Amino acid sequence: MASCKFSNELNRLRKSSSDSIDDIEEFDSFKKYMHVVRTAEVDLKELLRKINASGKKTLVLLCGSAGDGKSHLLSYLKNADEEKLLEKYHVYNDATESSSPSKTAIETLSDFLTPYKDENLQEPGQNIILAINLGVLSNFIESEYGASFRLLKKYVEQNHILTTQVNKKEYDENSHFQHVSFSDYHMYSLSADGVHAGYMERILEKVFHPREENLFYQSYLKSCSSCPLSQKCPVKKNYEYMRKTERQRFVAELLVKTTIQDKVILTTREILNFVYNILISRDFSYEKFQKILSNESEYLKEFLKQITPALLFDSTDVTVLMNILKKYDPLLSRSEHADEDAISYYVRADISSEIMKAFAENAFGDVICDVDVIKKIKNDKVLKASIY
């Protein structure tokens, strides 16, 4: 059965992809390429340097939410970072799993942290770095096993790790416990010039930048060049459309808006999944497009439903994030100028110049600015509305 090799490669961005799960024991070339340095990484590395220099037995808590990058960061530090800061640490990545069918995850965690029980805290032992979700940490210190870790509980409470309060990431030389929490960091920064979505923009750049090591770009070059659907494919056109830096910046700033105005908690995994969803419609089918190419009106209607601007603002129940983004659809912004513009467009018999002007400078123009296509758009109310 024929399939789109390029869309198969982009599938690596999805939350359901095996690439979204990080194995602490390996860090392949794809993950190395996709790695983006964050402030949390910089602070954790500085913390580890101080711990290593002190020689003090230490439990490091790497806290946050599911999908925010804890496992990825640990995998990177363990396998790819040149400083080898985790060389003498016992790394515990998944505090939600049990080591035995007869034990709960909390009991397994308690056993693993035995050297850091109150009674053992002053005894010699190996340093541990523990990646743990905030909910699991809360459940652990409040469980029956938490009674043996009162000093750990005290540290968690004194540093407000389980609250929304943003804390300073400072090394406490008197403590056997240290922490870095992803919840203390934003994916954007604020300045006198406005919002800067630096981290999100760098993630998007990883997907779209024309680098030799960018597997997505290389697949776009190789797979699309030999594909019979190439010049008519919405996935290929969407990728080309999003290669423009200003469009990546627009999308990144749109995501920042959801975190500030809608209180959406975005993780790296969610952002990559979102990128996939604005490139490939859940209705995309290579075989379907091949079949409808001979019916230009049907093809155009399907094509226009599956281009990035439509996926960005017209998608329903794909993800919670996509549902929220619908409220920022530019068509919902009413003004006298916008109303006049709409009326002018819909009553005008010949909209050729408007279409040429709007699409001449983007990837979709290769399909839409064809003379025969424009004629069909002028004579089909559904197509005319979709274009607007």
Side-chain angles (χ1 to χ4, degrees):
M1 182 181 293
S3 64
C4 175
K5 293 179 181 179
F6 182 42
S7 64
N8 291 340
E9 189 68 43
L10 290 170
N11 193 65
R12 302 178 80 162
L13 299 170
R14 302 179 74 182
K15 282 200 294 185
S16 58
S17 166
S18 60
D19 288 294
S20 71
I21 307 299
D22 287 279
D23 184 347
I24 291 298
E25 300 306 321
E26 63 177 77
F27 200 78
D28 61 26
S29 57
F30 173 70
K31 288 184 170 61
K32 191 171 184 178
Y33 170 70
M34 292 299 292
H35 181 71
V36 175
V37 176
R38 297 177 62 179
T39 309
E41 176 188 333
V42 175
D43 288 349
L44 177 61
K45 290 175 74 171
E46 180 60 27
L47 181 63
L48 292 172
R49 292 187 195 105
K50 291 179 179 178
I51 294 170
N52 295 347
S54 74
K56 191 184 188 76
K57 183 181 84 170
T58 306
L59 168 62
V60 182
L61 302 174
L62 183 60
C63 311
S65 305
D68 58 11
K70 297 184 297 299
S71 298
H72 174 86
L73 178 53
L74 286 183
S75 182
Y76 171 76
L77 291 176
K78 186 174 174 65
N79 301 288
D81 186 61
E82 294 180 356
E83 288 188 73
K84 305 294 183 185
L85 293 169
L86 290 183
E87 199 166 39
K88 297 180 180 179
Y89 284 75
H90 197 156
V91 179
Y92 193 88
N93 179 45
D94 195 345
T96 63
E97 290 191 358
S98 171
S99 62
S100 168
S102 62
K103 292 183 178 181
T104 64
I106 294 294
E107 188 177 358
T108 298
L109 181 58
S110 177
D111 290 346
F112 182 79
L113 295 180
T114 294
Y116 290 88
K117 287 182 176 179
D118 298 339
E119 61 189 42
N120 300 326
L121 204 54
Q122 300 305 322
E123 299 294 324
Q126 188 176 18
N127 288 351
I128 291 176
I129 183 164
L130 170 66
I132 188 167
N133 290 346
L134 292 172
V136 177
L137 177 60
S138 177
N139 291 339
F140 175 69
I141 62 176
E142 296 299 336
S143 71
E144 58 182 302
Y145 301 101
S148 300
F149 296 89
R150 286 172 297 181
L151 292 174
L152 172 59
K153 181 178 180 179
K154 183 179 179 181
Y155 174 83
V156 170
E157 291 176 343
Q158 286 182 339
N159 286 275
H160 309 285
I161 295 174
L162 297 176
T163 71
T164 56
Q165 179 175 322
V166 176
N167 307 290
K168 292 182 179 179
K169 279 63 66 177
E170 295 180 347
Y171 173 67
D172 184 353
E173 62 183 12
N174 298 314
S175 178
H176 287 281
F177 307 109
Q178 307 293 336
H179 82 283
V180 168
S181 179
F182 274 79
S183 63
D184 290 334
Y185 300 85
H186 291 303
M187 290 186 175
Y188 60 89
S189 60
L190 300 173
S191 72
D193 299 323
V195 175
H196 298 276
Y199 177 68
M200 297 180 189
E201 288 181 29
R202 290 197 296 276
I203 289 179
L204 290 165
E205 182 185 321
K206 289 285 185 180
V207 178
F208 298 105
H209 198 280
R211 296 187 180 99
E212 184 177 345
E213 61 269 34
N214 182 354
L215 296 180
F216 302 115
Y217 178 69
Q218 293 304 321
S219 178
Y220 156 75
L221 290 179
K222 296 173 185 177
S223 302
C224 295
S225 63
S226 59
C227 175
L229 187 60
S230 178
Q231 299 307 312
K232 298 279 191 175
C233 177
V235 176
K236 176 178 181 285
K237 298 302 180 185
N238 288 342
Y239 188 79
E240 292 172 344
Y241 180 76
M242 284 302 301
R243 285 181 58 199
K244 292 282 188 179
T245 302
E246 61 267 28
R247 293 182 186 129
Q248 295 171 34
R249 186 176 299 119
F250 172 83
V251 167
E253 291 175 355
L254 193 63
L255 291 174
V256 170
K257 188 179 291 187
T258 67
T259 65
I260 296 175
Q261 296 185 197
D262 303 296
K263 312 302 180 187
V264 173
I265 299 175
L266 282 180
T267 64
T268 302
R269 194 179 299 171
E270 288 286 352
I271 294 171
L272 291 174
N273 192 65
F274 167 76
V275 173
Y276 175 86
N277 286 326
I278 64 172
L279 291 178
I280 305 180
S281 167
R282 59 183 171 183
D283 297 324
F284 174 74
S285 166
Y286 177 86
E287 287 188 320
K288 179 180 179 179
F289 267 95
Q290 278 193 316
K291 289 178 182 178
I292 64 176
L293 279 178
S294 58
N295 185 331
E296 197 154 47
S297 292
E298 185 180 356
Y299 160 76
L300 284 170
K301 288 171 184 175
E302 197 61 39
F303 178 82
L304 291 172
K305 288 178 185 176
Q306 297 194 26
I307 61 176
T308 292
L311 297 178
L312 193 57
F313 295 115
D314 294 340
S315 298
T316 301
D317 295 334
V318 175
T319 65
V320 173
L321 175 61
M322 300 289 276
N323 284 344
I324 291 172
L325 285 170
K326 288 169 70 72
K327 67 191 286 186
Y328 299 111
D329 186 340
L331 289 177
L332 299 178
S333 300
R334 299 297 302 274
S335 69
E336 185 176 345
H337 172 74
D339 288 346
E340 289 176 355
D341 190 46
I343 292 169
S344 173
Y345 175 85
Y346 281 108
V347 300
R348 187 169 299 184
D350 187 357
I351 53 172
S352 304
S353 60
E354 283 87 346
I355 292 176
M356 295 295 290
K357 182 180 178 181
F359 290 95
E361 299 298 323
N362 70 51
F364 309 127
D366 294 343
V367 173
I368 295 169
C369 292
D370 180 86
V371 175
D372 292 332
V373 169
I374 291 176
K375 285 180 181 179
K376 287 192 177 296
I377 293 170
K378 288 192 294 184
N379 297 321
D380 189 310
K381 291 182 179 180
V382 174
L383 285 175
K384 189 174 181 179
S386 295
I387 286 290
Y388 183 76

